Amino acid sequence: MKLFVYVLNQQEKIDEVLSGFIEIGLTGATIVDSVGMGRILAKEVPIFAGFQSLLSGSRPYNKTILSVVEDDEKIERALALIEQICGSFSEPGAGIAFTLPLDRVFGLKPEIE
Amino acid sequence: MNALVALILIGALGFAMGRFLFLRPRPGTLYERFMLSGAEFLAIGAVIGPSGLQILDRWTLTNLEPFLILALSWIGLLLGIQLRWRHLIRFPWPYFQVSLVQGAVTLGLCFGALALLFFFWTPVVAAAADRWRAALCLGAVAALSSSTEAALHEPRAAKGGHVAGLLRFVPAIDPLVTLLGLGLLFSFWHSGRQAVGVEFSGFQWLLASVGGGLLLGSLFLLLLASVHQSDEAVLAVLGMAIFSGGLASVFHLSPLVVGLIQGILISNWRRQEDLLLNMLLKLERPLYVALLVLAGAAWRFDEPAGYLLAVLFIALRVGAKFLGVRTALAVTRLPFHVPGRWWLGLVPQGAMAIAVAVSYGLIYDDPLGRATFSAILLSTVVLTLLGRPLVHSALSDQEPAP
């Protein structure tokens, strides 16, 4: 059993990603609004270049998806799905995904196949 | 004081202090308490200006007008060159709708209310044309909101999300409404028919503004084909700003509007426009500090009419902004809920207001024009100082996610 964490930079694709998760049998997840470190530490603010500053921090906010997954194969399918929707992880903008092994989990509802 | 010496000193101040202006403060630091808001440089200008210690006298200020025109043209170019079509389309249409509708409604309401007020009463004796253009100038400024205030205070106040993002987006777009208003003002209440020696209608002057920007933009597109390095880009940008500012000045048009159109054309036709944009951005802060000092120097703070008009303008602007935002949100289908107090985040007016005031003050030096200039400066200072609580209030009202 693993905790699957995905930081989605392209907020507008959250619905598409979650719908895809359901289709591959990953039916439970918690979504958290999150902010990148660069965004917090950026000190200079625009004076006349307001629009340009929106582009330089063009993805100022992101969504962090947390999901407990029992089956490793579903994680592989989730990763493939994310790359299909958001682009390759080797390219900037696709976000970050990682997994963590879990010792004990309480209150987890069974996944719907 | 010699104009060249004054320019060197103000330029040096701009380069020395510009880097400290509008830095997002780290909580608990000394800078957080004594953060530079821009008002300090207006005060410095006012103290050394003709109404203060007269270190900068009226003659010197008049001789520095070409520098002001260059600065305004630079700002117009900077605004325009950001507006690349391929970047604009990355943002959803409802964002543009909210920005433009709230700006247009605020402009319309403020202009209408002030035109009506000036019909019966003005703080100084003024001709009918002066009243119309003062009302339109203040209306155009009312449409603005501040990119700086939203960016400066929003990260600490917001829980994040679309609402805060929209608060940063709107001030980046609403200068377009303001500059449209300014373009109409400089065309339909054109001041230089005798000076220029051309008898155009208002619509023809408007076409001249747009045509001038397009013509210069086209000429520079040809020139820019051979610009590939940063030192060449400096000269190219300087040349563009001087030419568009010069053209605007000769024909009594707004350098902001001509520069904006030139910038839009260049950024959408040229693929390597980042080089030019970086050059423009490098001088953004020093130029703004210099603009603030010179605007402060030109401010006749001993004339009480400006204070009275500032109080009236702030009250009208706040009301018009509230109604403008309400209207924009009512006619726009946003995919998320915008809290009721969100409009407060658009109340601060920033650097563009100072640029518009300078552009207006350079051409219209009548008593009501001076009171208008003063009112814009004062209202910008007041609303900038209130920026932090306003932005915090706007974003602290977010409803919890369902």
Side-chain angles (χ1 to χ4, degrees), chain B residues 275-349:
Chain B
L275 191 62
L276 300 177
L277 180 62
N278 289 336
M279 282 300 125
L280 288 163
L281 282 172
K282 273 184 184 168
L283 278 186
E284 186 189 34
R285 285 162 187 276
L287 211 65
Y288 184 50
V289 170
L291 194 71
L292 285 168
V293 172
L294 289 172
W299 176 32
R300 301 191 188 188
F301 58 84
D302 48 347
E303 294 179 2
Y307 295 91
L308 189 56
L309 193 55
V311 174
L312 272 171
F313 174 64
I314 291 173
L316 275 174
R317 183 176 178 278
V318 170
K321 199 52 116 175
F322 169 74
L323 293 171
V325 172
R326 279 293 169 99
T327 309
L329 293 176
V331 300
T332 308
R333 293 185 67 181
L334 285 166
F336 51 89
H337 172 72
V338 176
R341 282 191 296 182
W342 180 79
W343 69 279
L344 287 171
L346 297 178
V347 169
Q349 65 189 37

Side-chain angles (χ1 to χ4, degrees), chain B residues 178-325:
Chain B
T178 298
L179 293 188
L180 175 66
L182 205 64
L184 293 173
L185 190 160
F186 276 70
S187 303
F188 287 89
W189 286 277
H190 195 269
S191 74
R193 287 177 190 179
Q194 278 76 34
V196 175
V198 183
E199 198 68 38
F200 277 170
S201 69
F203 184 69
Q204 285 169 323
W205 278 120
L206 189 62
L207 285 181
S209 291
V210 177
L214 292 176
L215 178 70
L216 286 178
S218 307
L219 286 175
F220 275 96
L221 275 173
L222 295 174
L223 176 73
L224 290 170
S226 59
V227 171
H228 301 292
Q229 293 175 357
S230 57
D231 52 345
E232 294 170 337
V234 174
L235 290 175
V237 168
L238 200 60
M240 284 192 290
I242 288 171
F243 266 85
S244 62
L247 178 99
S249 174
V250 165
F251 290 102
H252 288 225
L253 302 169
S254 171
L256 287 168
V257 177
V258 177
L260 172 84
I261 293 162
Q262 192 184 359
I264 291 173
L265 182 74
I266 289 169
S267 65
N268 284 287
W269 277 78
R270 191 180 144 82
R271 300 298 294 177
Q272 296 89 17
E273 71 291 332
D274 283 344
L275 191 62
L276 300 177
L277 180 62
N278 289 336
M279 282 300 125
L280 288 163
L281 282 172
K282 273 184 184 168
L283 278 186
E284 186 189 34
R285 285 162 187 276
L287 211 65
Y288 184 50
V289 170
L291 194 71
L292 285 168
V293 172
L294 289 172
W299 176 32
R300 301 191 188 188
F301 58 84
D302 48 347
E303 294 179 2
Y307 295 91
L308 189 56
L309 193 55
V311 174
L312 272 171
F313 174 64
I314 291 173
L316 275 174
R317 183 176 178 278
V318 170
K321 199 52 116 175
F322 169 74
L323 293 171
V325 172

Side-chain angles (χ1 to χ4, degrees), chain A residues 11-12 33 35 38-55 57-61 63, chain B residues 22-24 26 75 79 82 84 87-88 90-91 147-148 151 154 160-161 164 168-169 172 277 281 284-285 288 351:
Chain A
Q11 283 191 89
E12 67 279 7
D33 281 339
V35 184
R39 166 87 174 169
I40 296 290
L41 292 179
K43 285 198 167 46
E44 286 211 351
V45 296
I47 297 177
F48 296 104
F51 189 74
Q52 187 60 26
S53 78
L54 293 173
L55 292 169
S58 58
R59 294 182 198 93
Y61 297 103
K63 301 276 186 192
Chain B
F22 300 132
L23 289 180
R24 192 173 287 137
R26 283 168 57 200
I75 292 164
L79 285 173
Q82 298 171 72
R84 283 166 265 187
H87 289 165
L88 290 171
R90 288 167 60 178
F91 294 88
S147 286
T148 312
E154 163 258 316
R168 291 194 67 189
F169 184 85
L277 180 62
L281 282 172
E284 186 189 34
R285 285 162 187 276
Y288 184 50

Side-chain angles (χ1 to χ4, degrees), chain A residues 6 31 49 66 69 87 92-93 102 109:
Chain A
Y6 174 48
I31 293 90
L66 307 168
V69 187
L102 296 178
K109 292 190 177 72

Side-chain angles (χ1 to χ4, degrees), chain A residues 51, chain B residues 83 85 88 91-109 139-140 142-145 166 169-181 260 264 320-321 323-329 331-332 334 342 346:
Chain A
F51 189 74
Chain B
L83 302 178
W85 180 249
L88 290 171
F91 294 88
W93 166 244
Y95 278 38
F96 290 94
Q97 201 175 346
V98 171
S99 309
L100 297 173
V101 171
Q102 69 81 26
V105 172
T106 307
L107 188 156
L109 287 174
L144 287 168
S145 37
L166 187 63
F169 184 85
V170 171
I173 297 299
D174 60 19
L176 293 178
V177 177
T178 298
L179 293 188
L180 175 66
L260 172 84
I264 291 173
K321 199 52 116 175
L323 293 171
V325 172
R326 279 293 169 99
T327 309
L329 293 176
V331 300
T332 308
L334 285 166
W342 180 79
L346 297 178

